[in-house]
Amino acid sequence: MNTTAPVILGETSLTIADVVSVARKDARVEIGAGALERIAASRRVIDDLANDTRPHYGVSTGFGALAKVQIPVEKRQQLQRSLIRSHAAGTGAEVEREVVRALMLLRLNTLASGRTGVRPVVAETYAAILNAGITPVVHEYGSLGCSGDLSPLAHCALTLLGEGEVRVSQDPHAAPIPAAEALAAAGIEPISLVEKEGLALINGTDGMLGMLSLALTDLADLLRIADVAAAASVEALTGTDAVFAADLHALRPHPGQAAAAANMAAVLADSQLIQRPQEGVFTRVQDAYSLRCAPQVHGAARDTAAYAAQVASIELRSAVDNPVVLPDGRVESNGNFHGAPVAYVLDFLAIAVADLASISERRTDRFLDVSRNHGLPPFLAADAGLDSGLMIAQYTAAGIVSELKRLAAPASVDSIPSSAMQEDHVSMGWAAGRKLRRAIDGLGRVLAIELLTSTRALDFRAAQPEHGAPAPATAAVHALFRTEISAPDTDAFLSPTIAAAHRFVENGAVLEAVEGALGAPLS
């Protein structure tokens, strides 16, 4: 039984946590009673316009560049059905289940605003499909991010009509089934759309916003793991923690920088490997930028994510459709479906993610070079020359970073006109979201390789007792890795080792180990 609390729509603003709860944890969705009343009230406005002799966009006219074509009453259901069928034009690989569920939740949230003019049955059917675990098949390509994510949303809207293909199993290897079959099995009646409803189902930025919400959730953990990885590298390279002092970062008071420095200082507390000034003993004056400047880089990424979260928060309480039914009964066309606000921050995050991975890879590389690793063997090999150690693990990290740099090129500047120049500027926000998801996956793998490298280095430091013991937090990460990853020995198949390290990052085990050792959460 799903014990996750239900998400109530139309009563309070959605949060990023709500999106994650529905998308990943299959939380039940409910529409508040007040929202249903608002939906019904706005529908009465549309019904009045449907009987008007004057043309009204989306009610009695065609769409986009065909908005000048007036449609007779007897053909309007066909108009809505044709809109959905023609716009469900996606191609390519299937989009992940969590993205489709996030997209559907956000479209339903706009329907629950009472600003779209659909009938209550449309919103209730949409909620029933989500709650039944029915996931429409949505494809990688098809959205320009304006007018919203038309094609992905149209594939979802097809399901309400009992058309198209869906998945009812979370097994990615199970074959899709016809939507009509899935609806029948769940006891859900397909619906016939009437005036304005087809448009209301597809005219939103829900796909890109869903991907932003999921990305921010994942990035929140990866930012803390990046701080842990950087601190562990400073320690295993016998660097200094003096640069993480709070008063130094108060001189340049970016909040993200202060948080990253505080995390790194906490992780390194009580380390005997850190270089600290001693009377009559020369200690290293400065570490390389990839170590010393980690709080500045990580902090800038944190502040970028904080700005993106502000944008997401505004979007989550927005009603995105065209035209919209206003509280005073006016029905007005608008441009709120344009994805620029979301597309920009998706691109901005991709830049930050690429740089986080880049600085991580540079720290990994320092461990492998005897001229820079302060007494460690070449490539951290157990028998250098006979063995290659982690030489090619660094190649893997470098290859990912190179890919992330390409993914950091912004999608949002690449507008391509469409709809006979009626839609002559589009956001490409969907593409920005797709590449950000790939970038975040790459970042997790690069950080895993850095942690694999620093934990391996600790084994060699243990053979040099003059350096002392690591900090409790980094020792906990080392112990975690040794539960599945062997200490340095003759070279073995490396790919499974990297995969194990990545699992520790992805499943939260690294953060759990560190925060358990510290007795407090990281910032």
Side-chain angles (χ1 to χ4, degrees), residues 224-234 298 360 363 447 450-451 454:
R224 290 183 291 159
I225 291 171
D227 294 341
V228 171
S233 292
V234 169
H298 295 190
S360 170
R363 293 188 295 260
L447 292 173
E450 182 182 359
L451 287 166
S454 66

Side-chain angles (χ1 to χ4, degrees), residues 42-61:
S42 67
R43 181 64 214 179
R44 289 192 288 272
V45 174
I46 296 299
D47 286 338
D48 288 342
L49 293 182
N51 296 321
D52 193 345
T53 57
R54 293 174 299 168
H56 297 279
Y57 178 67
V59 177
S60 54
T61 72

Side-chain angles (χ1 to χ4, degrees), residues 42 58 68 84 208 317 332 349 367 445 457:
S42 67
K68 295 179 181 180
I84 300 304
M208 62 186 87
R317 60 179 188 267
E332 298 285 357
L349 287 174
F367 280 105
R445 295 175 191 279

Side-chain angles (χ1 to χ4, degrees), residues 39-40 42-43 46 111 116-120 122-123 196-197 200-201:
I39 293 170
S42 67
R43 181 64 214 179
I46 296 299
L111 299 182
T116 69
V118 301
R119 293 167 295 160
V122 175
K196 177 65 172 68
E197 290 179 337
L201 287 170

Side-chain angles (χ1 to χ4, degrees), residues 392-523:
I392 308 303
Q394 183 268 329
Y395 284 33
T396 299
I400 295 171
V401 169
S402 181
E403 168 84 355
L404 266 54
K405 290 175 181 178
R406 294 191 294 274
L407 293 171
S412 55
V413 298
D414 191 28
S415 174
I416 298 179
S418 57
S419 192
M421 293 300 286
Q422 175 74 0
E423 298 169 10
D424 58 353
H425 185 276
V426 296
S427 77
M428 294 298 180
W430 174 269
R434 297 308 297 161
K435 66 186 183 67
L436 177 59
R437 284 179 65 82
R438 183 170 176 81
I440 285 178
D441 176 75
L443 172 61
R445 295 175 191 279
V446 171
L447 292 173
I449 290 171
E450 182 182 359
L451 287 166
L452 173 65
T453 307
S454 66
T455 52
R456 188 179 178 99
L458 286 182
D459 289 307
F460 291 108
R461 294 296 184 204
Q464 304 167 340
E466 68 274 13
H467 288 297
T474 53
V477 176
H478 179 269
L480 169 68
F481 273 52
R482 289 297 161 266
T483 62
E484 291 189 29
I485 299 170
S486 300
D489 200 349
T490 301
D491 282 352
F493 185 17
L494 191 54
S495 182
T497 299
I498 295 172
H502 181 238
R503 279 196 303 276
F504 290 140
V505 167
E506 192 173 41
N507 66 16
V510 168
L511 284 179
E512 185 178 345
V514 169
E515 293 176 342
L518 295 177
L522 294 173
S523 301

